[in-house]
Amino acid sequence: MLTVKEMNDLEGKRVIVRVDFNVPLKEGAIRDDNRIVQALPTIKDLIGKGARVILLSHLGKVQHKLAEENPAKLEKQIKEGSLAPVAARLSELLNKPVVFIEETRGDVLIESVNDLQNGEVLLLQNTRYEDGEEKNDVALSNFWASLGDAFVMDAFGSAHRAHASTYGIPEILKAEGKPVAVGYLVEKEVANLNRCVDVKDGDRPYIAILGGLKVSGKIKVIESLLNKCDKILIGGAMAFTFLKALGHGTGNSPVEDDQLAYAKNCYVKANGRIILPVDTVVSDAFDPAIRTTVQTVSTGNVAECFQGLDIGPKTRELFAMEIARAKMVFWNGPMGVFEQEGFQKGTIAICEAIAKNEKAFTVCGGGDSAAAAKQFGYMDDFSHVSTGGGAALEMIENDGRLPGIDVVS
Ligand code: ADP
Ligand code: MG
């Protein structure tokens, strides 16, 4: 695998860099610029080598299939997906101008690329404005590839997608004999996540902590983790599917009924290595505006009209004890509805236990989990916080392989 660090003779060369600028926005303002910051080493390296840097990224969802049934919604997605605020922030961080092109193809883009001087940076508009992006459309890939003399993959958060900008371009350039490489961020992510995939004896006990909302989206990773980890601690809404599968009452808690058989099968196969909550903080309503009661009950005692919104104090202690003994920890998915003040303790307890265990190698992989770690001030306590939620999970699921990285390897 060639890295950007090792790429030479780039003076005057047009280098296409797929970055992950899919940042959270609120009313057009960037809420967290971490993904832009993480892309800087690669961009600066290329500027330093005198390359002409062409940046590509997607931002948010753009569902072109809505064009007929709900054009207003598509219009809104396009408006909210503009990379203009990202271009402005990038320019601040680099302390130099960034040429922002409102188009994703056409004469203006081609002329602007031709006008680029050595060491200058250009960002084109959201790749998903193109219907062909997610379809890995050949014509689109060919056009984008024609803009570059080399390609660098640094969008770890998009590396699990074989799209035109992540897969089509490098495939074409590679076939043309042009250099393709990974950037600093992808190199770092791969090194850290591979340690969670190829487990060394010295990294045991290896504990995975899973939470969040959906079981179905994380199914394959549970099976894969069972082959790698010593124990899996399950909290969050995901725990209720397991608890119900084992015959416990879960009241009104979110349960994926079509996953009950799978959950039970996993639990049995794990042979005591899946640890479930022993108590739960429950409420009569998810919406704080109509909530009347919050209480802690032991597992199995969730009354009909109540739902579990966080792990309870005994579970926090149990999970913390397991984490204290671990040599390696992989965490994905909050333990409760951490966005609401009354249901943050479970997620904080995980962060706290990870922070206290200084000898362990600890990885946070998951968009909301990383946001929680940041919100509660624990970012620096992890050995590695991944910029890719889905990509980190898929990398573990697929034993270290991702299409967007394989294609440049
Ligand atoms: P990540 O992005 O880290 O992979 P997910 O997207 O799977 O995590 O899940 C995050 C969401 O799960 C959060 O919005 C959180 O509020 C929700 N969640 C966690 N526990 C519960 C629960 N018991 N009931 C409802 N939602 C929950
Ligand atoms: Mg999420």
Side-chain angles (χ1 to χ4, degrees):
M1 195 159 76
L2 183 69
T3 65
V4 69
K5 201 174 10 188
E6 299 158 345
M7 280 178 125
N8 289 312
D9 302 324
L10 292 179
E11 175 111 34
K13 295 270 164 57
R14 303 165 302 160
V15 181
I16 300 173
V17 188
R18 178 54 160 100
V19 285
D20 177 9
F21 286 163
N22 185 27
V23 293
L25 293 166
K26 196 168 188 181
E27 281 144 26
I30 298 170
R31 274 199 299 119
D32 182 358
D33 66 0
N34 184 44
R35 282 179 161 170
I36 307 175
V37 171
Q38 297 285 337
L40 294 176
T42 292
I43 299 170
K44 285 182 176 167
D45 181 292
L46 292 168
I47 292 171
K49 287 173 181 166
R52 304 173 180 192
V53 184
I54 301 159
L55 303 173
L56 268 69
S57 175
H58 79 279
L59 177 59
K61 253 191 214 164
V62 183
Q63 296 163 292
H64 293 273
K65 61 170 195 263
L66 292 173
E68 291 196 350
E69 51 182 271
N70 196 346
K73 187 169 175 194
L74 177 58
E75 199 56 40
K76 186 163 174 275
Q77 289 178 342
I78 289 173
K79 200 168 151 232
E80 289 174 352
S82 172
L83 281 169
V86 170
R89 183 71 188 124
L90 177 64
S91 172
E92 278 170 24
L93 289 167
L94 286 173
N95 200 14
K96 68 181 279 156
V98 170
V99 182
F100 178 58
I101 306 301
E102 294 275 2
E103 270 106 67
T104 43
R105 66 167 101 191
D107 292 341
V108 175
L109 173 59
I110 294 169
E111 277 160 30
S112 307
V113 167
N114 289 338
D115 288 346
L116 268 186
Q117 300 299 307
N118 297 1
E120 286 186 351
V121 179
L122 177 150
L123 171 68
L124 52 133
Q125 188 50 285
N126 188 346
T127 53
R128 287 195 183 164
Y129 280 15
E130 292 284 347
D131 192 15
E133 158 73 328
E134 294 191 57
K135 296 173 180 156
N136 190 12
D137 179 75
V138 180
L140 181 63
S141 298
N142 269 312
F143 168 68
W144 279 339
S146 75
L147 301 175
D149 305 306
F151 178 85
V152 176
M153 173 59 176
D154 212 20
F156 182 75
S158 308
H160 56 317
R161 313 267 191 231
H163 293 170
S165 67
T166 57
Y167 198 92
I169 302 174
E171 197 183 32
I172 291 162
L173 290 178
K174 208 160 91 176
E176 290 174 353
K178 293 175 178 156
V180 297
V182 296
Y184 286 92
L185 176 60
V186 164
E187 194 185 354
K188 180 172 85 176
E189 293 271 12
V190 167
N192 283 311
L193 288 161
N194 263 337
R195 189 162 162 184
C196 300
V197 173
D198 284 323
V199 188
K200 305 274 179 306
D201 285 345
D203 283 335
R204 294 191 183 280
Y206 172 20
I207 307 283
I209 309 151
L210 290 183
L213 200 49
K214 285 210 165 160
V215 187
S216 58
K218 299 183 179 180
I219 273 186
K220 270 181 35 222
V221 85
I222 297 181
E223 283 193 307
S224 178
L225 280 169
L226 275 174
N227 293 329
K228 298 176 177 72
C229 299
D230 297 288
K231 281 185 183 166
I232 304 181
L233 319 178
I234 299 183
M238 188 195 265
F240 299 107
T241 298
F242 280 83
L243 292 170
K244 186 169 179 186
L246 298 178
H248 294 292
T250 52
N252 213 8
S253 306
V255 166
E256 290 191 45
D257 282 306
D258 56 340
Q259 302 297 333
L260 291 173
Y262 170 81
K264 175 141 191 211
N265 186 27
C266 268
Y267 187 84
V268 171
K269 219 162 69 183
N271 199 12
R273 294 188 297 127
I274 288 182
I275 317 289
L276 295 170
V278 292
D279 57 357
T280 308
V281 182
V282 300
S283 172
D284 57 333
F286 182 88
D287 179 359
I290 54 167
R291 182 176 293 149
T292 61
T293 322
V294 175
Q295 61 189 78
T296 300
V297 299
S298 58
T299 284
N301 291 333
V302 185
E304 235 3 87
C305 49
F306 281 76
Q307 56 185 302
L309 296 177
D310 195 9
I311 54 174
K314 290 204 176 97
T315 308
R316 299 202 292 264
E317 218 172 287
L318 175 69
F319 284 9
M321 205 179 69
E322 293 288 352
I323 294 167
R325 286 207 306 250
K327 291 268 177 55
M328 185 154 77
V329 178
F330 176 80
W331 175 40
N332 173 284
M335 295 294 100
V337 184
F338 75 96
E339 297 92 338
Q340 297 186 27
E341 214 171 310
F343 308 101
Q344 301 176 330
K345 286 195 182 122
T347 304
I348 292 174
I350 297 298
C351 291
E352 185 66 37
I354 285 171
K356 271 196 187 143
N357 186 343
E358 285 174 11
K359 65 181 193 308
F361 178 72
T362 53
V363 174
C364 172
D368 290 287
S369 320
K374 185 162 191 179
Q375 183 183 330
F376 302 132
Y378 290 97
M379 276 284 261
D380 297 336
D381 294 299
F382 287 83
S383 311
H384 181 65
V385 178
S386 179
T387 54
L393 273 185
E394 263 190 56
M395 175 139 178
I396 293 197
E397 255 172 56
N398 302 334
D399 291 330
R401 310 203 52 177
L402 290 175
I405 293 171
D406 286 351
V407 70
V408 293
S409 299

